[in-house]
Amino acid sequence: MRFYSVTEPVKYEGPDSTNPLAFRYYDPKRKLLGKSMAEHLRFAVCYWHTLCWPGLDPFGGETFLRPWHQAGDQMDHARRKADMMFETLRLLNVPFFTFHDLDIAPEGSSLKEFNRNVSTIASHLLKKMDETGVKLLWGTANMFSNRRFMAGAATNPDPDVFAYCAAQVKHCLDVTKELGGENYVMWGGREGYETLLNTDLKRELAQAGRFLNLVVDYKHKIGFKGPILIEPKPQEPTKHQYDYDVATVYSFLKANGLEKEVKVNIEQNHAILAGHTFEHEIALASALGIFGSIDLNRGDYQSGWDTDQFAMNVPELALALYEILKAGGLTTGGMNFDAKIRRQSIDPDDLLHAHVGSMDACARALIAAAKMIEDGRLKAEVDKRYAKWDEPKNQAMLHGKESLADIAGRVLSENIDPKPRSGRQEYLENLLNTYV
Amino acid sequence: MRFYSVTEPVKYEGPDSTNPLAFRYYDPKRKLLGKSMAEHLRFAVCYWHTLCWPGLDPFGGETFLRPWHQAGDQMDHARRKADMMFETLRLLNVPFFTFHDLDIAPEGSSLKEFNRNVSTIASHLLKKMDETGVKLLWGTANMFSNRRFMAGAATNPDPDVFAYCAAQVKHCLDVTKELGGENYVMWGGREGYETLLNTDLKRELAQAGRFLNLVVDYKHKIGFKGPILIEPKPQEPTKHQYDYDVATVYSFLKANGLEKEVKVNIEQNHAILAGHTFEHEIALASALGIFGSIDLNRGDYQSGWDTDQFAMNVPELALALYEILKAGGLTTGGMNFDAKIRRQSIDPDDLLHAHVGSMDACARALIAAAKMIEDGRLKAEVDKRYAKWDEPKNQAMLHGKESLADIAGRVLSENIDPKPRSGRQEYLENLLNTYV
Amino acid sequence: MRFYSVTEPVKYEGPDSTNPLAFRYYDPKRKLLGKSMAEHLRFAVCYWHTLCWPGLDPFGGETFLRPWHQAGDQMDHARRKADMMFETLRLLNVPFFTFHDLDIAPEGSSLKEFNRNVSTIASHLLKKMDETGVKLLWGTANMFSNRRFMAGAATNPDPDVFAYCAAQVKHCLDVTKELGGENYVMWGGREGYETLLNTDLKRELAQAGRFLNLVVDYKHKIGFKGPILIEPKPQEPTKHQYDYDVATVYSFLKANGLEKEVKVNIEQNHAILAGHTFEHEIALASALGIFGSIDLNRGDYQSGWDTDQFAMNVPELALALYEILKAGGLTTGGMNFDAKIRRQSIDPDDLLHAHVGSMDACARALIAAAKMIEDGRLKAEVDKRYAKWDEPKNQAMLHGKESLADIAGRVLSENIDPKPRSGRQEYLENLLNTYV
Amino acid sequence: MRFYSVTEPVKYEGPDSTNPLAFRYYDPKRKLLGKSMAEHLRFAVCYWHTLCWPGLDPFGGETFLRPWHQAGDQMDHARRKADMMFETLRLLNVPFFTFHDLDIAPEGSSLKEFNRNVSTIASHLLKKMDETGVKLLWGTANMFSNRRFMAGAATNPDPDVFAYCAAQVKHCLDVTKELGGENYVMWGGREGYETLLNTDLKRELAQAGRFLNLVVDYKHKIGFKGPILIEPKPQEPTKHQYDYDVATVYSFLKANGLEKEVKVNIEQNHAILAGHTFEHEIALASALGIFGSIDLNRGDYQSGWDTDQFAMNVPELALALYEILKAGGLTTGGMNFDAKIRRQSIDPDDLLHAHVGSMDACARALIAAAKMIEDGRLKAEVDKRYAKWDEPKNQAMLHGKESLADIAGRVLSENIDPKPRSGRQEYLENLLNTYV
Ligand SMILES: [Co+2]
Ligand SMILES: [Co+2]
Ligand SMILES: [Co+2]
Ligand SMILES: [Co+2]
Ligand SMILES: [Co+2]
Ligand SMILES: [Co+2]
Ligand SMILES: [Co+2]
Ligand SMILES: [Co+2]
């Protein structure tokens, strides 16, 4: 019995296609700014939302009833799920996938057994990867679902949990390396607190700092080349998460001397939950030198939780892709669909529609962003606005050649009286609309 | 013609007083944890909301019609306002005040004239301070109201604005020192952006870093002893402000090597606009070693802007004061009422009611927080929760004596399988309610 | 093996008690405004959060591991749960409970079997109720957990679901009547939509209107005396819920001619998710004549979802209770703890601490609210503010005795030029703080 | 001296134009679904944001320095502003304008003088309208800026304010009729409250009901043909506004028997502040039969206040226009740019850029929405989803031919067991993206 209704990979058919399972914009080999679309976008399908999530929500049970959610041997189910991942990648022509250890293999009754399960399935994955050419964008350890992590992972008040997490991450990083993963991600879902009344925030930050240092050291020890990525999120499941947003992660990295070692995996929905735009978080990470990868999805602006919907709004995506291109593009990073179909989308094909639509929206946004870069008018406006800073005397001031008193003396003696200039926001927004 | 209806200072009359202009809890000399209430709370009245704000809002004009808002000589008005500040402090028995340069003196037609006006009024203030014993908690420069600052102060695309700001801050810091100010505050109201389309975020962050370094250097040069304080705020007036929250300010300080030089002035309303609790921001600043001072007010949880209302909820204030006491209390900092009466509160006496009520709420919260400290049960619960971390082997792990692989080996060989323990949040919330 | 660590009911011990399982304020027989505290507050324990919820959240599995969540005969578990409800009520001295049909009995494999299970357990409950004197505040049908309801209950695009719901509500209302339930509640958790792209809003509103009419008719037919209650909630699980808030429910009732038949069950957390205060929703429902009952809990102001925490902030609760008392108090309604302990609170006793603490907070708030009513100063201030409206000419204007032109003529001829008066908000907030 | 840099009207030049002051999509005479674009969109320029707002924000003074904001004769300025409105309309080729009475004429020192000023300028406007063919979409009375309205207009605790408002609305409605206004709008900016502590919500709702009845009666009396429109907004300037959202307005209309007389003017920014989407509010108003007109703008999803920016996101606008077309299109209503350029956009031409860009975005969205209608696939999906409801037996059930017990009997006897079908949200979102 087939899972998806189709067996032929989705193909590029151009903007006029009315085939719902065709790409209208995503043409993987099309070159933009010297790279193919596939190289620019580096799409990845995630295990958890696409294959593991059963359609639960806080008020209702599963709706999807996937074959591997039925009773039966869990390792068989794990292999079946793995095969379905590769079938999904094949149908979508997506080159990467991502996983949590717990997504790919059953938990078993001990860490030893879990590790064994993970390794067993990893071998299965590796074989499929070799056959298909698919690659692993990143792996990550799930340290939030089991009740042992209810009070945090590395930041748990119980040092045994910290130790347990160290063991789990070690194995997951080993496996990620074995699979040629290009990055390794940490999402601190329960690295936070519910109430300060039972929390020693300072201790927990110190624990988190140590943990990250341990992971970075280990990465170097085993020669894992890719970056460690932290994924900021302000809250949910905890009331407050320590990796609130890009700036908070940077403050944490700086406090622990890790700002050269660790980068961020930025998710749109987490950005807006933290009160930012997606493009803000990308631009800030780029300015701070810690931009790593993207968890692509969209939040609902009227819902205060992580809806993880498939991103579809082209003008918004174009702003994000423009920042990504300005940041030098994705290097080891990718665009991981950390997105889930709605709970009512119970047909397996809904998974295909979701990915196809969002890939197409990204492709369209990329085309627009590349035009912005090539055209250069947006950048020229910005450069013009700051041009006076490029004058030698102002560069001198910026680089500390004058003291506050020096500058003040100059202002008074030269009677400097700045005249405001229009910020031209509306003109620039119109200009933007000519690209999208 | 009198401004306030009363001439006698507000007095402590005890909890049973029904006199609306009496303190029921604020008994300045009462000792708690070895310090007087006055020493703990270090209240300050602010110039801008209390005396300068005319009752405008985005949809309506002034409602207050203060005498000094009428036509007339602006320097006369400035002196009249200053006298009213001291009368307010006398009636409220408040030991500190705070100001922006533009609050105390008229702008004039040039920076030179403005500086002269500021200095003239500063002399007037100094005389009154000597007479009354009132002190200056902090001064700050208003670099957001005039249209020259519409695109930012230090982060302006125009270096002339940067220079102008340097000159303005120099004078304001000089005056603050002259008046014996115990801190100097910077609120970057327009240090942010409206749209990334016209903004070079990286440049602007570099400008902000240079500016802060200039100010710190100058402070040392003139021997200003108090800390420089940055006041985090996520947005408003700008769409995005660079000093988003405590963590963001810390990331900025670390990036510029200023984390030992600069502290934060935390405002409740800004904390909640950034998605945090007030106590979170205090606890985090304390953990990071940058806790400085408080702008006391309350935001409206249903309004998405800075309402700056007078804080009145005792249980909430008790949580904040508990964190302040745990952080070692206010040293050079204070509790500055950055709070405004509602636009409909058009009677001058409404200013007195507002301050008296909020001072009393703080006093009551302080009494509760001191009990929490003395009683020690809250702390004991927390300590117990983390106690295992104090064991030597766990301290060793925390301090980097084991590698990730070492720990993993130990977990597997010892079969470490952590057992969760109740977080007891409800019990602790009940316990809290026994203090407030 | 005992579930709770205690066997003796929680007792009133007065404000100075340090016994964490004693009431410090809730003294059920204490009279206030002519009624006992128990009569005023009419507390209820809910089945779902207290006994059914296993500690899941969107990112993690169960943490509570209650005996009845283990494998075993589901009807045995249901009886065991029922017994634990009565034990909880006994220990807490709470007079009411509430349930969804699905909370009390297993779903079985058909509606017939489910109905049978519900009836069987209902008999068991009835026996316990007779033995203990405990009463049922309300029953309700769970029409949101099973996947058949994923697209709504009465508002489902499939009329078979509508019919199924009719059958389910009929049985649940029958059972509620049989158990002497004092109200019957409908929470339209999935009566809403995820996207307008697949939704016919007008059809769905018509379906909802018909459904409610059917229920009201049936209630009369069987002689159920209590009101039908709708529980407003703006969203979650759906993106948009039709019962958004009190005003929206009223608009729906008016549109269907049911505003005399149906009242609202107001939940604090839902009120704040809709952008209101709790007291606003109560005051509005009272003004509109549809105030029914309370789901007592608290939302987290920083979290955008339904946290359903136990209410603990006395000043906030006092505002709500003041509105309830002004509305004439709870008649058939009650204060149902629609509140859940945190997922980390895994000790059964945490359930007791939570209820005891929140009951005490309510009691304290009630004492304060009763003082406000007796003292009358708050009301007097309000009355004074509107006093001019009580003058005959203004009553005439209010009651339509003058046309717009008449009034305009009078304004111009009498040169009416209104002078604003202070709204005295700060004074009133201080006054409030003298009661709490 | 010219205000704008251009003198030639903005023209349609097609999608490939790079002229920033040309329309690329808005081709007024282009026919879609049988009507011209101009007839569909019925654009209006508003007086307040475009000509009156000086660039103030809560933290800064004016930035625009328009000629009519300088000292000088206020009536001269009013005429100058009026002329600039017509020049703006001419350059933009916009057929309608909108105003508050206070926008067009100075307040003077009494209502009599104000009325006279309004009438004088109205005559000037009428002359210009005759000359140009421009029409008035709607007028409205500003009953929120002057301090006399600080506690509300019709809902003021002082009946003199109610009377004053009656007089003001009478005159404004007279003038609107005289100018051939096609609607009359009421925005209840201060019809709400700051705190329940000083508010009698029930009285205020009764006052609002009476006021609206007076206005409706007067409208009929003078033969004003257009609808009265209420503009929902949840808050700001007040903490809570009585016209919260469309559902709340409907509840108010029903309570006062005015649902056939009054419609709504829906603003995007107000919709999102109330927790809805723009398209939700339109769809709901249409379903309830009260859809009237549009205040077109956009809110910032990260800012919790009314930013009133120019709408630029085509996919979002397409959803709104699709709902408008489904609702039968704008009849007497229009698309009023209740939008303001940013405070930093200090060049007059920024006003042109803003309108041109947003008109073009609307035109593009209209083209997309018309395609959706013509194509019919979106509608077909929805119809299919509800198709079973069209069967006779289900229509009977919907129309009350069966009782709850009847239906329940049928469910049990027929063993109705509904099977869920996919909601296909992702497929539909993709489909949407083929139109935009
Ligand atoms: Co993610
Ligand atoms: Co997410
Ligand atoms: Co402040
Ligand atoms: Co503030
Ligand atoms: Co509830
Ligand atoms: Co709830
Ligand atoms: Co509007
Ligand atoms: Co608006």
Side-chain angles (χ1 to χ4, degrees), chain A residues 345 353 364 422 426 430 436, chain D residues 345 350 353 364 426 430 436:
Chain A
S345 299
H353 287 293
R364 210 165 151 186
S422 172
E426 293 78 16
N430 293 357
V436 294
Chain D
S345 299
D350 290 323
H353 288 293
R364 210 166 151 186
E426 294 78 16
N430 293 356
V436 294

Side-chain angles (χ1 to χ4, degrees), chain B residues 24 275-276 298 302 312-313 341-342 344-345 350 353 357 364 385 422-423 425-426 429-430 433 436, chain C residues 24 275-276 298 302 312-313 341-342 344-345 350 353 357 364 385 422-423 425-426 429-430 433 436:
Chain B
R24 299 189 306 125
H276 307 299
R298 85 172 190 266
Q302 274 80 42
M312 294 291 185
N313 189 295
I341 51 175
R342 298 301 84 194
Q344 295 185 39
S345 299
D350 290 323
H353 287 293
R364 211 165 152 185
R385 200 167 176 235
S422 172
Q425 180 164 342
E426 295 77 17
E429 289 178 353
N430 293 356
N433 264 356
V436 295
Chain C
R24 300 188 307 123
H276 307 299
R298 85 171 191 267
Q302 274 79 42
M312 294 291 185
N313 189 296
I341 51 175
R342 298 302 82 196
Q344 295 185 40
S345 299
D350 290 323
H353 287 293
R364 209 165 152 186
R385 200 166 176 235
S422 172
Q425 180 164 342
E426 295 77 16
E429 289 179 352
N430 294 356
N433 263 356
V436 295

